[in-house]
Every structure is written in C-alpha cells, then in structure tokens.
Amino acid sequence: MLACPASVKLRILPGYGCRDLLASETDGPGEQGCTEQHEPSEQVPGFGDAGRRVSRQGLAAVDPSPCRRAGPAASGMARWLPRSADLTRFCQKLNRVKTLEDDMMETSFNRCLSTIDLTLLGIGGMVGSGLYVLTGTVAKEIAGPAVIVSFIIAGFASLLAALCYAEFGARVPKTGSAYMFTYVSVGEIWAFLIGWNVLLEYMIGGAAVARAWSGYLDSIFNHKIKNFTETHVGAWQVPFLAHYPDFLAAAILLVATTFISFGAKVSSWLNHVFSAISMGVILFILVMGFILAQPKNWSAQVGGFAPYGLSGIMAGTATCFYAFVGFDVIAASSEEARNPQRAVPRAIAFSLGLATGAYILVSVVLTLMVPWHTLDPDSALADAFYRRGYAWAGFLVAAGSICAMNTVLLSNLFSLPRIVYAMAEDGLFFQVFSRVHPRTQVPVVGIVVFGLLMALLALVFDLEALVQFLSIGTLLAYTFVAASIIVLRFQQQKVDVPAPAAGSRPSPEPHEGPSASELKEYESFSDKLQLVDRDKSKEHREPGQLKAAFEPYLEFLSDFYPGEVVTVAVVTLMVSAICLCSILVFGNTHLHLPTWSYSLLLVLFSLGFLLSLLLIWAHEQQHGTQTFQIPLVPLSPALSIVLNIYLMLKLSYMTWLRFAVWLLLGLLVYFGYGIWHSKENLREPRPQRVSARYVVFPSGSLDERVQAVQPSSQPAAGLPDTDTDDCKR
C-alpha cells in the first residue's frame, strides 16, 4: 500500500510494481529543500538506481547521495531560481486546451445562415478584385497563358487547407475560425498568436480593399477625387503615410460597418446583392470572351502556351494561391449557421469549386482574346474588351469589379469582430469585445471599434508596404490548422471524472466494458493521478494507440500514453518540413551549398518528414464520427503544411521582420492580460496547503483500484502510521 499527497503523479504499471514515481508541489522535505534533519524514511525498491525517499509528510524525489549543508550564497541563489515544478506548471498553462461545452449548438448568436448564405459569403471572400487584376498580372509577367495551370495547382493546394477548415468547422461549430481550432487541439498561447495575426490580417486587408475600391472608382472619373483632395486638403510626404487622405475609402468602410452592425441576416442579404451582380458580370465576360476568342493567341508565334516554362507556372501558383484565402469566413460564421455539421463542409466545397472555376475560365478567355504579352496589368479585362472594339463593356467590367470588392470588404468586416469575440469570450482578449447586442445578436462593440480602426488605416496610412503581411498571417493559420487536424484525429476523447465528495470513497472501477483498459484520469486538488493499464489482449484500440500490426516491430512505443507519440511526430514533421523548404528556397541562392551537400540535406530532411508521417500513420485514429472528416489523414494535412511553409519562406525578409514585431506585441498582450483572465485559468483548481491523499493498490494482475481519502491534516483512517507500510509491492 502506498500513501501519497494529491500533488503526486503516479504512473503504475500493473504487475511491475512502483516503476515510476514523480513528486511535485509537496509540503514535505522535497519542497522545502535540503536540511540537516530528515524524517525517518526508507529506500523503496523498484524505483531504479536513483532511489526515492518516502516520509510521512509526503513523497519527494531526492538524490541518493547524503545531503550536504547548503551555504548562505547557495541558499540565496536557490531562493530566486524557479523550481522545476513551477516551470512545468507554467508550460502547462501555455499549452492548455479549451474545454468545450456539452451542447455545441448553444450560442448567443442567431443561427440564421443557410448553406447558400455561407456559400455566397465564401465566394464573396475569394472572388474579389483579384479576378479583374491578378489574372492579367500573372499572365503577362509570370506565367503567360499557363496561368490556367497555375490556378489549377493553386486551387488544389487551397483545397487541402479548406478541407481542414471544413472538418473543424463541422466538429467545432463555434466562431473563431483558426483561433478556435488551434485552441481546442494544440494549446492556448498558439491559439492566441494565431488569432492575433488573423486580427491584423483582416484589418490591413479590409483597409487595403477599401483603398483599392476608392482608387478604381477614382480612375473611372479621371482621378478627379484625388486631384480635388490634394488641392483642398493637401498632400503628405511622410514615411508610412499615404500621399493624401483617402476620405472615400474611409467613408465606404464606415457605411459597411453600419450595415454589418444590423445583424448576420442583413449582412448576408447585402452580400447576396453584390455577389449576384459580380457573378452576372463574370458570366457576361465568359460568354463574350469565348465569342471573341482567337486560338492563335496560344500559338508559338506569340510565345506559346507556357513561355516562362515550369518555373513560371510554379511562381504563378504561389501568387495565385492568395486569391483563395477568403474561404475561412465560412468557418468564422459556423456559430451562426443553422446546421453547421452539414452546411460548413458543403459551403466550403461549393464556394472553392466555383471560385476556382471562375479564375480558370476567366484566365482562358483573357489570354484567348488578346496576346498575353500585350495585356495591361492594371485593368486587363477592361483593356481587352476595349482593344477588341467593345469599349462599352469596360463599364460593365468596372461595375463587376466594384461589386466584387464590396463583397471582400463585407467578408473582412464580418469575420474580424467574430474572431475578436471568440478571444474575448475565452478571456484572452479584453472582455468588452465579448458583448453581444440582445436584438441584433452580433458583437456590436467589436464591429464598431474595428470598423473605425479600419477606416483610420485606410484614411491616413500607406498600405502598399503592409499588404504582403497579409500572406504570412494566412499561411501560418493554415499551417496550424492542418497540424491541429492530425493531433485531434489521433487524440482520445476526453472524459471528465467528477471529484469525489468529502469523506466519500469512490467505488472501484468495474473490470468490464470498453473502459476497463483505458487510461483513467482522477482529478485531485492540484494535479492528476494517472494510472496506465497495459492490457495487450484487448482487441478494440483507442485513438492514439499503436496499431496491432505494428506492435511486434515497434513494441517500445506501447509504453507511451495514447497520442503522445503522435504529438512528438507532428512536431518532428513540422521541423523537417521547415528544414526541407529552407534548403529548397535558400540552398542555391543564399546558402550557396555545393551540389553534394544540397542533395544530401534534401534526402535527410525528406526522410525525416516521411518517417514522421509513417510513425503517425502507424497509430489508430478516430473513426465513425457523425461529422465531415478530411480523407487521407495524415497525408493531406502534411502536404498542406509543406506547401504553406514553402510559401511563407518565399516572402521577403521585411515581411518576416514586421511579423516578428507584431508577434512581440501579441506576447505582451497575452502575458499582460490573456494568461491571467483566461477562462481555462479560472477552471484550474487553486493550490491547497492540505494535501489530498490517495491509496493505490497495485496487484499482480492487469488491474488497478484507486481509493480517495478525505484530505486531512491527520493520518487518514485505516492508514497505518508507519513508514515501512507506506509502500508495498
């Protein structure tokens, strides 16, 4: 029999006796440090060469060597150094995951959005001004007519990330998008940093679209708005500020903020109107474009179909990938969907398919109407119709472009306050943003505040230098969501066991049913008592456990907790992906590696990536859930991780520098506010001066029984008060 305080974590392997015993947060000698006088203790067999000392006051891991008197300097230094238990508890705080409610459909929002509403929101977020500008730019300067292939590859790459969002959106129908998905599977600090980056991404994105909207409208009227502002207000020559205040961009943001504040139904209706006009214009472009198409524009006389070769196609793919970043608005809106388990996956699939088809077909039409090398990068479609004798069509194209930019603007303003609401609701951001208006059922404070901030950015700041920052935030979110899918899929379902009432003794665990051989967790006042059963004869295996087919070859992995090996393998996979992509991007340019070392490093990191992938695949994963699941896990998320990391490393160093500065600001906010006000922090039990005691009866068979005893300063009833009976084998 073994008596230990509540803060002790025991890992008892039945049939092997006390194999591993760790102690922390005890009130005995182990916590107070080394002293000359010790309580009577005995060496416990079965604990390895290091030995353990057991006393009446508690259990503490101590060095087997005799205690030496600590000098005053050493004592003073030790007083200021953090204890290992404190560091462990601090790391646990950073990586704690969100506890989800039993009723996932319960919300303070209005669940009023259908599959069509979500689909049009996704299309509005993806099919923006990029359709009218990006296609011409990539076709002329990067890929030629092969921009079609670039969009196909980019659409497939976006599909990998979109499927990860679809699975999470169906399983966790809560607002917050990538922030929420990371919080429920990876950890708190990572979720906060993802939300912090997405917050800036939406702010800069919305302000940049508003300025593009203003500039496009101004160009239609021969830049009269710009000339009037510079004449009567003045021009600025200040770094990081715009050349002139853009009142039109600020005004359109304030108007959009007003409409968004009226509720999700009004926002959806407004998005329907602009999306219908935009899709009507796209349909007109396709019909007229195929009528005016000339196949000779793809012939060798004008450069052929792929004048820049494979490198141009892949470079075009990296640029085209950013045209599809708007689908996460669907995941951010899942808490307002009527049936998110079905609506979110369908809406993501439909919107991504329609957006990809629109980009591909418009690229075909554009490069067939006029030779690709004569395109105008700033207004390719309008210029193409003008050169073919249809100048009036340019006005329709301009109207479609403005409506498309309106949908992107609404998408940004719709998503941003909801992500801020999710962070504030969890206590990681200021609580004022968690208020929901009782009538409109939207986070009106967040909508107004961040709408005003967007308007201020669009009014006075030069956003051209910051636009590239949008890419790194999106790609980082995609990477963490893909990694979260792997972790969640190989994770056991958590079952909370209620703490026993004072003075009560819970009945022993029955040795029947599917839970008899699972990992059981018993909550104490300050830590967990975990008992691991190694019943190998059980046919049904839980998620995270090694598959039976691999057990004869990888038997040493069976000693780990379910999901523990998978988590380590995911970290190894991401590190290998970073190293592999770094060699691919910088190996020949910045690092100037010789051919042999370049090839060797590629092979080594590729093997590390593949071995991590195989190690994950060798474990059981969750099956048979009622919601959508991405196929080919872990392969599909792993490919998404590699692609996202590769594209992030292709960004400029100034983008990474700005990203690092913004991360530091986020860490200040988190450690100054979020970590202290987190709801998960409030759920944690407070440390007690009185230790709770547990009695563990390890037997020779594959069975264990746990009995909790009323915490008391006196020895518990029925417990012998002798040291020799404290631990028995």
Side-chain angles (χ1 to χ4, degrees), residues 351-648:
S351 60
L352 188 62
L354 290 173
T356 305
Y359 277 110
I360 292 173
L361 292 175
V362 168
S363 300
V364 171
V365 164
L366 182 62
T367 53
L368 285 175
M369 285 176 63
V370 294
W372 60 270
H373 53 80
T374 63
L375 291 171
D376 181 6
D378 296 327
S379 57
L381 282 169
D383 182 68
F385 280 109
Y386 176 79
R387 290 169 56 192
R388 294 301 303 271
Y390 294 87
W392 56 269
F395 291 100
L396 284 177
V397 173
S401 178
I402 290 176
C403 288
M405 283 187 275
N406 284 338
T407 60
V408 177
L409 202 61
L410 290 173
S411 173
N412 280 305
L413 278 170
F414 190 88
S415 301
L416 175 58
R418 284 154 176 81
I419 294 175
V420 175
Y421 163 83
M423 297 174 67
E425 181 70 13
D426 292 332
L428 302 185
F429 207 58
F430 306 110
Q431 286 294 315
V432 66
F433 295 111
S434 65
R435 297 177 184 173
V436 177
H437 195 276
R439 192 175 67 174
T440 60
Q441 294 181 292
V442 293
V444 67
V445 176
I447 293 173
V448 172
V449 170
F450 285 95
L452 291 173
L453 287 176
M454 276 191 196
L456 180 64
L457 283 176
L459 179 66
V460 299
F461 283 96
D462 179 16
L463 299 171
E464 292 182 5
L466 297 177
V467 167
Q468 260 204 333
F469 189 88
L470 305 178
S471 307
I472 194 167
T474 302
L475 293 171
L476 186 67
Y478 288 178
T479 303
F480 269 86
V481 170
S484 300
I485 282 290
I486 302 177
V487 173
L488 188 68
R489 187 70 73 85
F490 291 87
Q491 207 174 58
Q492 277 190 319
Q493 297 290 340
K494 295 182 179 179
V495 179
D496 293 332
V497 180
S504 65
R505 294 173 179 262
S507 59
E509 292 289 326
H511 191 65
E512 59 182 8
S515 62
S517 303
E518 297 175 0
L519 172 67
K520 291 177 279 297
E521 295 189 6
Y522 299 89
E523 295 288 340
S524 66
F525 289 99
S526 60
D527 210 332
K528 298 178 180 179
L529 181 65
Q530 298 184 337
L531 303 177
V532 181
D533 194 340
R534 299 179 62 192
D535 188 358
K536 306 296 185 181
S537 62
K538 183 177 177 181
E539 296 181 1
H540 176 71
R541 292 178 179 265
E542 295 298 326
Q545 292 182 329
L546 191 66
K547 292 180 179 178
F550 294 95
E551 193 167 311
Y553 313 101
L554 302 172
E555 188 177 2
F556 64 96
L557 296 179
S558 302
D559 294 335
F560 294 91
Y561 296 153
E564 196 173 27
V565 177
V566 173
T567 303
V568 175
V570 170
V571 175
T572 307
L573 183 143
M574 295 186 69
V575 172
S576 301
I578 292 173
C579 296
L580 177 62
C581 294
S582 299
I583 297 299
L584 289 173
V585 175
F586 305 115
N588 291 327
T589 55
H590 296 74
L591 300 178
H592 303 291
L593 294 175
T595 305
W596 67 269
S597 59
Y598 178 83
S599 304
L600 179 62
L601 290 174
L602 282 182
V603 171
L604 289 178
F605 292 131
S606 299
L607 285 176
F609 181 84
L610 293 175
L611 288 176
S612 302
L613 199 62
L614 290 174
L615 196 59
I616 297 171
W617 179 71
H619 289 76
E620 297 286 350
Q621 59 177 291
Q622 295 179 8
H623 293 290
T625 59
Q626 300 298 319
T627 58
F628 170 80
Q629 286 189 319
I630 178 174
L632 300 178
V633 173
L635 179 61
S636 299
L639 292 178
S640 180
I641 290 173
V642 171
L643 178 67
N644 298 329
I645 292 175
Y646 177 82
L647 293 177
M648 277 195 288

Side-chain angles (χ1 to χ4, degrees), residues 240-269:
F240 301 109
L241 295 184
H243 296 300
Y244 65 94
D246 197 336
F247 293 103
L248 185 60
I252 186 62
L253 278 167
L254 294 178
V255 172
T257 300
T258 304
F259 279 104
I260 294 291
S261 301
F262 288 149
K265 203 63 183 174
V266 175
S267 307
S268 177
W269 175 83

Side-chain angles (χ1 to χ4, degrees), residues 34 67 75 154-155 158 201 204 223 245 281 321 326 329 331 347 361 384 401 419 423 427 458 496 534 595 619 726:
C34 180
C67 284
S75 300
S158 300
E201 172 198 338
I204 295 178
H223 301 286
V281 172
F321 180 81
V329 65
L361 292 175
S401 178
I419 294 175
M423 297 174 67
D496 293 332
R534 299 179 62 192
T595 305
H619 289 76
D726 277 340

